[in-house]
Amino acid sequence: MVVCGDDALASRLAIELREIYGQSVVVVVPPAQSTERIPAPLTARGDGRAAVLRERMAAVMTWAAGSQAQPGASDTQYQGGMAALEASVANDAVLTQAGIERAAALALVYDDDETNIRAALIARRRNPHLRLVIRLYNRKLGQHLEELLDQSAILAAPGLDPAELDASTTVLSDAETAAPALAATAIAGSRKVVHADGLLLRAAERTPPARGEVTDPGLCTLALLSATTNDPAGTEGSDSSGDEAPLLLPDDHSVVAATGRGTMVLETVSYEGPGARVGPLTGRSAPFASFFSRRLRWSLAGAAAAVLALAITSWITTDQDPRHAAYVTVLDLFAINDPALGKPISQQILQLLAGVLGLLLLPVMVAAALEALGTFRTASQLRHPPRGQSGHVVLLGLGKIGTRVLARLRELDIPVVCVEEDPEARGITLARRLRVPTVLGDVSEEGVLEAAKIHRAHALLALTSSDTTNLEAALYARSVKSDLRVALRLYDDDFATAVYRTLRTAHPDAVTRSRSVSTLAAPAFAGAMMGRQILGAIPIERRVLLIAALTVAGHPQLEGRTVAEAFQPGAWRVLALDPATPDERQPDLASPRPNAPKGPRSGLVWDLHPGYVLQPHDRIVLATTRHGLAELLGHPAPQGSHPRLS
């Protein structure tokens, strides 16, 4: 396995492949003394994150130094070791030195999409049978790139059936993988919608049922949540273990015995299409009520009522046709009617009253025109938090991760107020299109969080790329509102544990959680490198369940066993069966089925009978832990594996 990257995801992925799957790994990392591949904002801040990154990469290099593997040597015999190369970018020469021609899989996890694409094109040309796992933020570009690279591999082996071709391309996004967990952290008990590509699944958190209450188990129970999930003083915010840790893929007996613990169940959901209207003005329109203020609307309503009263009075006193009386009243209102000379005194009084009302209505109409013009001009600008905003989530940081989390929160109809320092940040466009209130400013400056109504907020999500900025925002927010729910994106695990324990001690009545994007994303990348179709990842607290598709043949733990017998608590569980024959089977379950109706994927059987015997030709969808997937692939996890990857 070859891993090329310049941030924490590369180091975590290399450790994941080595310790969980027992693979030989060559990792290409930036030179320890160079800052070329360290993102510029990190070195500019001087917050220590670049130093932590170099330390982590140096640890991987030190570990690899003890391996017998020598990258680039034609007679290299990999025996479960790890080797490392120092290079700023993965060019043709570097990939050749890493042994790309003999590699089984290559992961390109640079933070820059263009760098990953350039290296992927080189690697596919050098080794058409190579499994490629590419990190891309642009999902649409990723779909086109998958098709291009797979087509290139097929053309490179014209005599081989495309279905049997070992080469495959998988494009993943660490932001997309981590966003559901971060969004769910902000709101306790919220349902997490999991878009596993073509599969439409929902991981729903269920609170502990009351005595005598029966809850819907869904498709299956994915996990028993930690006993302290909703306890502010619990250990779920750090690397919990033991009885307090979440129990993944429990059996029925464990679910029944675990009284007082919440559960995570899997459900299928139907797709009803986008709820938002589509058009040239989408994202630039505003509600009609926002054109005019409340006071102006009441003024217009009062003027209309006065005009109606004058028209009715004129109709009664003159015995004229109602339409003619209304017409004359409007003429008097705008002072374009002839004077009522020689007319009855009642008509003269009504004309004077209509003239006075017209003078009063003139400034109201001017104000209405100005307000409407201002609304049109600001419809495409960022909104400011309204005065009565409360119960919302304050989202700090609109970079790659923050943008995805913002989209998830709005899908769940959760009110959000964003805080971003850079007016050109990636997520500003999305915030403007979704009409999300946004405060531009440095969170370290006084008044920025107050402008986001932090004292009335339900939760704070600090998702910037700087640990110190996130910590500073959390500490200041806690000083304003001590019981605020806080979720921090912290880069360094040791630092995250220390921060969490300190905040828990200082604020025992508040909920504090820490999350690492690279920890949440690494399992999906590692599973894709192993050549198995990873349909999605479901984060459960600080752990991850993988949704994978594989053929039963070659897996003695599954072949010839019933669905009930194949279930391994804590490791894997069969969820669905693809009943199509191998000839008619869709090569990729993640892609949409042609001419498929809207709704849950009709080609998969979800309610499998526990007594169904799995046949070698069957293709199944299962939920599995990382250790469970490693065991299915014939690589049992070594004893004493890395504690943070357990």
Side-chain angles (χ1 to χ4, degrees):
M1 303 289 176
V2 180
V3 177
C4 303
D6 57 0
D7 61 5
L9 181 57
S11 60
R12 289 189 185 275
L13 179 55
I15 295 174
E16 183 98 1
L17 292 170
R18 172 67 187 93
E19 294 201 342
I20 301 298
Y21 295 99
Q23 294 294 304
S24 302
V25 182
V26 176
V27 56
V28 179
V29 295
Q33 71 277 10
S34 172
T35 60
E36 180 180 355
R37 298 302 303 167
I38 305 297
L42 302 183
T43 55
R45 287 193 189 98
D47 58 5
R49 183 180 172 192
V52 173
L53 175 57
R54 294 193 190 95
E55 290 178 3
R56 181 167 294 168
M57 291 298 185
V60 174
M61 299 282 288
T62 303
W63 189 3
S67 172
Q68 297 178 357
Q70 300 295 328
S74 59
D75 57 348
T76 296
Q77 299 294 327
Y78 294 98
Q79 300 177 358
M82 180 183 289
L85 291 173
E86 289 188 347
S88 299
V89 293
N91 53 29
D92 200 340
V94 172
L95 291 177
T96 300
Q97 188 179 2
I100 197 66
E101 291 85 356
R102 303 178 308 280
L106 167 67
L108 298 167
V109 293
Y110 290 105
D111 190 57
D112 180 51
D113 286 1
E114 182 180 350
T115 301
N116 292 328
I117 294 173
R118 183 183 296 111
L121 296 175
I122 296 173
R124 177 59 78 214
R125 176 174 54 84
R126 299 296 301 272
N127 187 351
H129 297 274
L130 184 71
R131 286 194 297 272
L132 283 175
V133 180
I134 309 170
R135 172 188 183 182
L136 285 185
Y137 182 82
N138 191 326
R139 289 175 292 182
K140 183 176 294 185
L141 175 60
Q143 294 175 359
H144 295 311
L145 185 63
E146 280 188 358
E147 297 175 358
L148 173 65
L149 294 177
D150 284 343
Q151 183 67 21
S152 175
I154 293 173
L155 294 177
L160 195 61
D161 183 11
E164 300 177 356
L165 191 63
D166 191 30
S168 62
T169 305
T170 304
V171 175
L172 298 174
S173 169
D174 57 334
E176 191 71 20
T177 303
L182 295 170
T185 304
I187 302 296
S190 65
R191 290 185 170 186
K192 294 185 288 186
V193 178
V194 179
H195 296 274
D197 294 328
L199 292 173
L200 300 174
L201 307 174
R202 176 172 60 200
E205 292 185 13
R206 302 285 175 82
T207 56
R211 179 173 297 179
E213 181 182 357
V214 179
T215 59
D216 181 14
L219 292 174
C220 68
T221 300
L222 294 176
L224 289 173
L225 302 179
S226 61
T228 59
T229 300
N230 296 312
D231 181 6
T235 60
E236 188 272 334
S238 61
D239 294 315
S240 58
S241 61
D243 295 336
E244 294 177 335
L247 180 61
L248 304 184
L249 300 176
D251 54 19
D252 295 337
H253 176 73
S254 300
V255 175
V256 174
T259 57
R261 295 180 64 172
T263 58
M264 180 79 72
V265 300
L266 188 66
E267 302 172 342
T268 57
V269 295
S270 59
Y271 177 73
E272 299 177 354
R277 59 189 179 87
V278 179
L281 296 179
T282 300
R284 296 181 177 272
S285 59
F288 178 77
S290 65
F291 286 153
F292 310 111
S293 64
R294 182 187 298 270
R295 183 178 300 176
L296 185 59
R297 292 198 300 270
W298 278 109
S299 300
L300 291 174
V307 172
L308 180 61
L310 289 176
I312 294 175
T313 304
S314 177
W315 167 49
I316 294 175
T317 57
T318 60
D319 292 332
Q320 296 178 350
D321 183 82
R323 290 176 296 180
H324 183 270
Y327 175 70
V328 172
T329 301
V330 172
L331 292 180
D332 293 335
L333 183 70
F334 293 107
I336 56 177
N337 194 16
D338 293 333
L341 299 176
K343 299 293 180 67
I345 189 64
S346 59
Q347 285 186 305
Q348 294 178 353
I349 295 176
L350 288 175
Q351 189 176 54
L352 291 175
L353 291 176
V356 173
L357 181 61
L359 292 176
L360 297 176
L361 185 60
L362 181 61
V364 176
M365 296 180 64
V366 173
L370 293 178
E371 280 199 8
L373 178 61
T375 301
F376 276 115
R377 295 183 63 180
T378 60
S380 60
Q381 298 178 1
L382 291 173
R383 292 182 58 200
H384 296 289
R387 290 185 178 180
Q389 184 82 52
S390 63
H392 57 286
V393 175
V394 176
L395 176 60
L396 175 59
L398 288 177
K400 288 183 177 181
I401 306 300
T403 302
R404 293 285 194 237
V405 173
L406 173 60
R408 293 282 181 174
L409 290 173
R410 294 308 301 136
E411 287 175 2
L412 298 172
D413 292 329
I414 296 174
V416 186
V417 173
C418 300
V419 179
E420 174 56 50
E421 179 181 5
D422 183 10
E424 302 296 329
R426 186 187 299 267
I428 292 294
T429 302
L430 178 64
R432 182 184 296 112
R433 180 168 60 85
L434 297 178
R435 302 287 295 164
V436 174
T438 304
V439 177
L440 292 177
D442 188 353
V443 70
S444 61
E445 297 178 357
E446 185 177 358
V448 173
L449 284 179
E450 284 84 352
K453 305 294 188 288
I454 192 66
H455 59 287
R456 296 195 190 128
H458 171 76
L460 169 68
L461 271 176
L463 304 181
T464 71
S465 57
S466 170
D467 286 1
T468 55
T469 299
N470 295 335
L471 178 59
E472 181 179 2
L475 294 177
Y476 184 79
R478 280 286 168 78
S479 68
V480 176
K481 186 178 181 181
S482 60
D483 60 343
L484 182 70
R485 173 180 287 267
V486 172
L488 297 169
R489 175 192 175 190
L490 296 179
Y491 182 82
D492 186 9
D493 288 328
D494 296 333
F495 181 55
T497 302
V499 167
Y500 165 74
R501 290 173 178 171
T502 304
L503 288 177
R504 182 185 63 182
T505 303
H507 301 278
D509 297 329
V511 177
T512 304
R513 298 292 181 254
S514 65
R515 295 292 182 261
S516 170
V517 174
S518 57
T519 300
L520 296 173
F525 281 82
M529 290 186 71
M530 295 304 299
R532 293 305 184 266
Q533 194 177 84
I534 303 299
L535 303 177
I538 299 177
I540 299 177
E541 299 182 13
R542 287 188 71 88
R543 301 190 177 186
V544 178
L545 273 181
L546 302 177
I547 305 298
L550 56 82
T551 304
V552 174
H555 302 285
Q557 305 93 332
L558 304 174
E559 189 173 348
R561 298 175 181 264
T562 64
V563 172
E565 293 172 346
F567 173 39
Q568 184 68 33
W572 61 78
R573 182 168 189 164
V574 178
L575 300 178
L577 172 71
D578 187 356
T581 62
D583 295 336
E584 300 176 351
R585 187 172 293 164
Q586 186 180 1
D588 186 7
L589 279 177
S591 61
R593 196 177 290 269
N595 302 322
K598 291 182 180 180
R601 184 176 291 278
S602 58
L604 296 178
V605 179
W606 291 94
D607 52 347
L608 279 175
H609 191 277
Y612 176 80
V613 179
L614 298 175
Q615 303 299 321
H617 62 272
D618 287 341
R619 181 169 62 172
I620 58 174
V621 175
L622 70 160
T624 175
T625 62
R626 290 174 288 179
H627 287 271
L629 184 59
E631 184 177 348
L632 284 174
L633 298 179
H635 300 284
Q639 297 295 328
S641 58
H642 200 281
R644 298 192 185 99
L645 295 177
S646 60

